[in-house]
């Protein structure tokens, strides 16, 4: 005897805010790998298990979703720096440097950060990225008490670490003496 079984998937009902966070998680992954223009919102919606129209209802446009993901990335860096300084106020630059190195292990977020700089060809994105990077720069200046050269060096070293992490150097430097010198601990 043939019985037709229907598989039902039980999904937990989420609030719009919870769904927005779930979409952001998926967006970070997709935008990190393919950038703003190479990412399909259909793929993001499918990854989360929602319709593309619902994604647009929550975020408006693909650019709005990209910017929300970029903003969240800057928020995480800023919060990490703030917590680091609170835990080690005597050596704020060193504390923030250590905190940033920990963030680099979240490769997708790092790659999204790099994609945000690439997407600055779009004037709307450039405005947000400049503002948020400037906010971060001013925060480091303010809480560190460091001089201009030290702050520039801190950010320059951070960008060097970004490039190294994007190339996955921390896990693949066996026998590459230049990579070991590149990743020296300097903040």
């Amino acid at each position: 005897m043939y019985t037709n079984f229907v598989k039902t998937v039980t999904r937990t009902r989420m609030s719009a805010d919870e769904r927005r966070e779930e979409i952001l998680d998926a967006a970070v992954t997709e935008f990190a790998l393919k950038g703003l223009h190479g990412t399909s919102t259909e793929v993001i919606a499918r990854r989360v298990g929602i319709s593309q129209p619902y994604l647009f209802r929550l975020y408006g446009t693909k650019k709005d979703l990209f910017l929300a993901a970029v903003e969240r990335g800057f928020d995480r860096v800023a919060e990490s720096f703030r917590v680091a300084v609170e835990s080690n106020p005597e050596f704020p630059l060193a504390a923030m440097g250590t905190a940033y190195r920990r963030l680099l292990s979240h490769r997708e977020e790092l790659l999204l950060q790099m994609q945000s700089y690439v997407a600055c060809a779009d004037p709307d994105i450039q405005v947000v990225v400049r503002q948020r990077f400037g906010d971060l720069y001013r925060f480091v200046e303010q809480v560190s008490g460091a001089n201009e050269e030290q702050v520039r060096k801190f950010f320059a070293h951070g960008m060097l670490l970004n490039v190294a992490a994007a190339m996955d150097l921390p896990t693949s430097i066996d026998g590459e003496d230049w990579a070991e010198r590149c990743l020296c601990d300097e903040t």
Side-chain angles (χ1 to χ4, degrees):
M1 180 169 151
Y2 175 74
T3 308
N4 190 8
F5 290 98
V6 177
K7 182 179 178 184
T8 56
V9 177
T10 306
R11 289 192 53 97
T12 305
R13 190 142 176 91
M14 293 184 176
S15 70
D17 287 341
E18 291 169 326
R19 187 64 77 188
R20 286 174 68 83
E21 284 302 310
E22 186 179 43
I23 292 167
L24 271 180
D25 289 341
V28 166
T29 298
E30 294 300 324
F31 286 133
L33 298 175
K34 299 176 193 126
L36 172 62
H37 299 294
T39 298
S40 161
T41 54
E42 185 178 327
V43 170
I44 294 169
R46 196 172 334 133
R47 181 184 274 268
V48 179
I50 61 169
S51 69
Q52 192 176 26
Y54 185 58
L55 182 145
F56 286 126
R57 188 165 20 146
L58 293 176
Y59 281 99
T61 67
K62 180 166 83 168
K63 188 192 302 187
D64 292 338
L65 177 57
F66 181 79
L67 285 171
V70 168
E71 293 262 13
R72 186 169 82 171
F74 275 105
D75 288 345
R76 287 188 175 170
V77 173
E79 178 64 10
S80 178
F81 281 6
R82 187 189 63 72
V83 168
V85 170
E86 285 177 2
S87 68
N88 190 354
E90 287 185 66
F91 302 101
L93 277 182
M96 289 184 286
T98 299
Y100 192 70
R101 279 189 288 287
R102 279 193 298 270
L103 290 175
L104 292 176
S105 66
H106 303 283
R107 198 156 192 269
E108 289 175 346
E109 290 180 10
L110 162 73
L111 292 174
L112 176 63
Q113 182 186 115
M114 302 295 272
Q115 292 285 4
S116 77
Y117 301 136
V118 170
C120 279
D122 179 303
D124 298 329
I125 293 170
Q126 185 183 76
V127 165
V128 171
V129 172
R130 276 185 175 183
Q131 178 64 48
R132 295 304 306 268
F133 191 88
D135 291 345
L136 200 57
Y137 198 93
R138 285 185 293 277
F139 175 81
V140 170
E141 283 179 318
Q142 180 184 17
V143 301
S144 71
N147 64 39
E148 289 179 33
E149 183 180 339
Q150 291 169 316
V151 174
R152 274 195 310 273
K153 193 173 181 180
F154 176 82
F155 276 90
H157 189 71
M159 191 54 71
L160 177 63
L161 292 174
N162 281 3
V163 171
M167 291 186 289
D168 209 15
L169 284 184
T171 61
S172 63
I173 61 173
D174 292 337
E176 298 186 56
D177 62 333
W178 68 269
E180 291 174 14
R181 288 190 307 278
C182 174
L183 295 174
C184 72
D185 213 12
E186 178 186 310
T187 45

